Amino acid sequence: MSGEREQENAPGSPKHFNQTMAPLDIESNTAAQEMLDHEKNGHADRAQWVLNAPEPPSIWRELKDCISESLLPQCSNFLSSRNQHGYKPVLSVLRAIFPIITWSRNYKATKFKNDLLAGLTLASLCIPQGIGYATLAKLDPQYGLYTSVIPPLIYAVMGTSREIAIGPVAVVSLLLSSMIPKVQDPEANPIAYRNLVLTTTFFAGIFQSAFGLFRLGFLVDFLSHAAIVGFMAGAAIVIGLQQLKGLLAITHFTNKTDVISVLKATWISVHHSWNPHNFILGCSFLSFILSARFVGKRNKKLFWLPAIAPLVSVALSTLIVFLTRADKHGVKIIKHIQRGLNPSSVHQLQFNDPHIGQVAKIGLIVAVVALTEATAVGRSFASIKGYHIDGNKEMVAMGIMNIAGSFSSCYVATGSFSRSAVNFSAGCETAVSNIVMSITVIICLEFFTRLLYFTPIAILASIIISALPGLIDLNEIYKIWKVDKLDFLACTGAFFGVLFASVEIGLLAAVTISFVKIIISIRPGTEILGRLPGTDTFCDVDQYPMAIKTPPALIIRVKSGFLCFANANFVKENIMKWATEGDEKDTKGNGKKTFQLVILDMSNLTNVDIAGIACLEELPITNPRWQVIHKLKLANFVGKLGERVYLSVGEAVDACLNPKMAAI
């Protein structure tokens, strides 16, 4: 008997095993209960982390910080050095306003050599283009040269781009010549027209400076890249058609810019009065300029050839007209160009004009278009060179130079696509190339304006036409079509609006389509989430087909950063549809499964309003952002949520699907 008892109690015997397992079962059950209690308490604690978060910064605090950062970006550096003696605090502020102080310390003679060559090459293109763009803007030729003096000098000390070339451009000239004549006729009263152009330039500078100081550059983005591409292409065609007046020496021409009116006016004029000598002269030199550009593209070492081709064309055509006295045989010439530096125009600004509101509106439109073009040019070349340009400083620099320009007989200046490309190809190192160009134009104004008396107008038309192909980017249009059809719609809307209606209609079409795209983005869809196998990551089941859904729980994420009145009902309808209609057939094929629980992932949402809050009733929510949970507390919605607030989707799924956790 004693042997049997020893055998029963021996290690490994069934009785011994049962005796040893009983305490283990009790311990494991106790541990499981403790873990469950810990999970319950842990979830409760984590829910309180979310619900008891401190209040986020108020809107007034955010506005104050924004203004401080905008108006005084160097304030912290200045305050940190306020106890220092000498000029260092002042120098810190001056460096922020004038970047030239920073980069000029490392400026060397080798860089100046490259900038000198680039500046002279730039001037050879800028002088004839400036005269041509002034005539496009329906101003006297010297105003194009004036605009190539003061603005480039100011930008050189305040701008952050090394390659951008400042001066008059075709698109801005077209905007002014198409919009201001609706207020003042340039032929009936050219002086009043000029004064309104200068006043528009002042307003454009004010708006540009404000955009930079208050960091409102996002307003420029309402004209999307696609819209600008389409607008530029349409404007290039309109500008080219309008140059038929100079190319054919047409006396009476339409003031409208749409393609139908221009072609109709050209057709009528050709059948009545036009001079073939102008056409032959203009087309001959247009062929020469385009041929020089083709050769320059094929051989990069001859980059200077297309740059000086316009100036050579002006010199040769002027000499031909002077020697043959072709002006006596119907060839139209520029005649007198006022000699001397920019005269003051402060007294010419018309702030008491009865149409001042309309002039300010034109200034706003011109400011946005000019900034968009300059920003696109500056960023493209900065990315090639591998450096960063400060967008806000660029806007301030553009604004200050146009304000100063309006005081010194300049009209709206900005960065030029064609001249910036020439500046880049010529090997410019810094903005000193703009200074060299400006000084060269000053010399031209002082000593060589008389030599331009016999310059034929047809040559100016051919120079403008030769610069237009660079505004039509077919590759970019094709890329827009491939990437985003709605962007392509904005592109074509701007293109056809400019081409068949007017410049204003084209811009309005572009902005309208851009707003439609924004509205569509505000009304987002919803996506169903599933767990990736072997992970706690939840992803869109359409994007990741391997993700496993977790019925009877439906996990939904809103594809938007804002749940508001504009999309709340749309989101609620989507949730109800998924929850009531089910998702997929069960294993027996007895129809669709229905979901018993909906979990809303709020990780994308950055803000919510009253209409959005109403969508959240009776829904467990996960990972709400700071502003969202604060507004839920203000709306007394936290009490309705109870503890249905979770830090992650995984925690919400585990808690809601576990019967013991569901009672929490």
Side-chain angles (χ1 to χ4, degrees):
M1 293 291 293
S2 60
E4 292 178 359
R5 289 175 183 171
E6 290 178 0
Q7 187 175 358
E8 288 177 359
N9 294 326
S13 66
K15 186 174 182 179
H16 180 271
F17 184 79
N18 292 333
Q19 290 174 348
T20 56
M21 282 300 296
L24 290 177
D25 288 341
I26 296 173
E27 291 178 4
S28 62
N29 291 334
T30 303
Q33 185 64 36
E34 289 177 354
M35 290 180 62
L36 184 59
D37 293 338
H38 177 72
E39 286 294 329
K40 290 181 179 181
N41 296 331
H43 164 60
D45 291 340
R46 288 190 291 272
Q48 292 304 313
W49 295 348
V50 179
L51 297 176
N52 295 329
E55 290 188 5
S58 66
I59 186 172
W60 303 112
R61 174 66 180 275
E62 292 181 353
L63 182 61
K64 178 183 175 182
D65 293 343
C66 179
I67 293 175
S68 299
E69 292 177 3
S70 302
L71 297 181
L72 299 173
Q74 299 298 321
C75 182
S76 59
N77 293 336
F78 180 78
L79 292 176
S80 64
S81 58
R82 67 185 185 277
N83 295 326
Q84 298 179 6
H85 299 286
Y87 59 88
K88 289 185 177 181
V90 177
L91 185 61
S92 176
V93 175
L94 290 177
R95 284 174 180 170
I97 301 174
F98 305 107
I100 191 173
I101 297 176
T102 301
W103 56 259
S104 62
R105 292 181 299 174
N106 299 321
Y107 197 71
K108 299 178 181 179
T110 54
K111 290 185 177 181
F112 177 73
K113 179 182 176 181
N114 294 332
D115 286 335
L116 179 64
L117 176 62
L120 294 175
T121 307
L122 203 55
S124 67
L125 178 61
C126 172
I127 292 172
Q129 276 193 353
I131 296 173
Y133 291 152
T135 59
L136 176 61
K138 298 183 180 179
L139 295 169
D140 293 334
Q142 65 267 17
Y143 286 94
L145 298 178
Y146 293 158
T147 308
S148 301
V149 174
I150 301 299
L153 289 176
I154 295 177
Y155 181 84
V157 299
M158 297 188 69
T160 58
S161 174
R162 305 170 193 168
E163 293 80 22
I164 196 170
I166 299 297
V169 297
V171 174
V172 170
S173 301
L174 173 66
L175 279 172
L176 294 172
S177 64
S178 64
M179 299 177 74
I180 296 182
K182 296 177 181 178
V183 180
Q184 184 62 251
D185 190 349
E187 295 182 0
N189 196 341
I191 295 178
Y193 173 81
R194 177 203 61 196
N195 292 344
L196 288 186
V197 170
L198 296 174
T199 308
T200 301
T201 302
F202 174 81
F203 279 113
I206 291 293
F207 285 121
Q208 289 173 334
S209 299
F211 290 159
L213 288 173
F214 295 100
R215 297 180 180 263
L216 299 177
F218 68 90
L219 295 176
V220 178
D221 295 333
F222 281 117
L223 268 179
S224 64
H225 172 68
I228 287 296
V229 170
F231 173 77
M232 291 290 187
I237 296 176
V238 168
I239 293 169
L241 292 175
Q242 285 199 334
Q243 296 315 301
L244 293 175
K245 176 183 178 181
L247 205 60
L248 301 175
I250 298 173
T251 305
H252 301 288
F253 203 69
T254 180
N255 288 327
K256 297 181 179 179
T257 59
D258 63 284
V259 62
I260 296 176
S261 299
V262 173
L263 290 177
K264 183 179 178 181
T266 305
W267 180 261
I268 294 173
S269 300
V270 166
H271 281 74
H272 290 82
S273 61
W274 70 288
N275 190 291
H277 297 95
N278 289 274
F279 183 73
I280 295 171
L281 190 65
C283 288
S284 299
F285 282 99
L286 176 60
S287 301
F288 167 69
I289 295 172
L290 294 178
S291 299
R293 181 173 299 169
F294 176 77
V295 173
K297 286 184 177 180
R298 295 292 297 270
N299 189 343
K300 298 299 182 182
K301 294 182 179 180
L302 298 176
F303 68 89
W304 51 268
L305 185 59
I308 67 169
L311 187 61
V312 171
S313 299
V314 169
L316 290 178
S317 62
T318 303
L319 184 62
I320 291 172
V321 172
F322 175 74
L323 294 177
T324 61
R325 300 301 299 178
D327 57 310
K328 302 294 185 181
H329 299 86
V331 174
K332 289 190 174 183
I333 58 176
I334 293 178
K335 296 184 179 179
H336 178 68
I337 297 181
Q338 186 173 329
R339 176 179 173 272
L341 296 180
N342 300 39
S344 173
S345 58
V346 176
H347 60 285
Q348 297 173 1
L349 300 180
Q350 303 296 311
F351 297 116
N352 295 324
D353 191 276
H355 303 287
I356 190 65
Q358 195 167 352
V359 172
K361 182 190 74 173
I362 297 172
L364 175 61
I365 295 173
V366 172
V368 171
V369 173
L371 278 180
T372 304
E373 180 172 355
T375 303
V377 174
R379 287 176 178 172
S380 60
F381 287 110
S383 63
I384 295 174
K385 285 288 189 71
Y387 70 95
H388 173 71
I389 63 173
D390 190 321
N392 293 307
K393 288 184 179 179
E394 286 292 291
M395 293 178 186
V396 173
M398 295 279 175
I400 297 299
M401 77 181 190
N402 279 317
I403 293 173
S406 68
F407 297 156
S408 54
S409 300
C410 305
Y411 73 97
V412 182
T414 188
S416 166
F417 278 107
S418 58
R419 293 195 295 277
S420 297
V422 169
N423 197 28
F424 175 79
S425 301
C428 73
E429 297 282 351
T430 64
V432 170
S433 60
N434 273 291
I435 299 176
V436 173
M437 177 197 71
S438 180
I439 294 174
T440 307
V441 175
I442 291 174
I443 295 173
C444 176
L445 280 168
E446 283 289 348
F447 302 107
F448 300 114
T449 54
R450 293 182 180 179
L451 300 179
L452 299 173
Y453 183 89
F454 290 99
T455 301
I457 293 178
I459 292 302
L460 301 180
S462 65
I463 290 172
I464 294 175
I465 293 174
S466 68
L468 299 181
L471 299 179
I472 304 176
D473 195 340
L474 296 178
N475 290 331
E476 192 67 19
I477 293 173
Y478 177 67
K479 185 190 297 183
I480 292 170
W481 162 256
K482 286 176 59 180
V483 173
D484 193 322
K485 299 300 185 290
L486 196 58
D487 262 355
F488 182 75
L489 183 61
C491 179
T492 54
F495 176 79
F496 289 113
V498 172
L499 204 59
F500 292 104
S502 65
V503 174
E504 303 98 298
I505 297 297
L507 287 173
L508 181 62
V511 173
T512 301
I513 296 173
S514 298
F515 268 110
V516 170
K517 186 176 181 181
I518 293 173
I519 292 173
I520 292 175
S521 66
I522 292 177
R523 291 179 59 84
T526 54
E527 55 189 16
I528 296 179
L529 305 185
R531 192 195 299 262
L532 290 179
T535 71
D536 286 329
T537 303
F538 287 80
C539 302
D540 182 6
V541 295
D542 291 329
Q543 181 179 358
Y544 298 92
M546 72 291 297
I548 302 171
K549 300 175 185 177
T550 56
L554 173 64
I555 308 168
I556 289 182
R557 181 165 58 201
V558 181
K559 295 187 287 187
S560 173
F562 196 13
L563 187 60
C564 62
F565 68 94
N567 59 16
N569 287 333
F570 182 74
V571 170
K572 187 173 183 179
E573 289 172 2
N574 277 355
I575 293 175
M576 293 298 296
K577 182 186 71 172
W578 284 112
T580 57
E581 294 182 3
D583 181 45
E584 59 187 8
K585 292 184 178 181
D586 62 19
T587 55
K588 298 181 180 180
N590 294 326
K592 294 184 177 180
K593 295 180 181 179
T594 57
F595 295 102
Q596 300 174 4
L597 178 69
V598 177
I599 298 173
L600 187 63
D601 179 9
M602 302 182 70
S603 57
N604 283 348
L605 294 177
T606 58
N607 216 329
V608 68
D609 67 2
I610 291 295
I613 292 173
C615 291
L616 306 179
E617 296 217 14
E618 300 181 2
L619 292 179
I621 62 175
T622 68
N623 194 20
R625 297 294 185 91
W626 201 4
Q627 292 284 357
V628 173
I629 197 65
H630 176 62
K631 290 193 175 182
L632 293 180
K633 290 195 292 186
L634 292 178
N636 297 322
F637 193 78
V638 172
K640 297 180 181 180
L641 285 174
E643 293 185 354
R644 297 193 309 275
V645 181
Y646 303 91
L647 284 176
S648 67
V649 176
E651 183 183 72
V653 171
D654 294 340
C656 295
L657 297 185
N658 189 326
K660 295 182 180 180
M661 293 296 296
I664 295 176

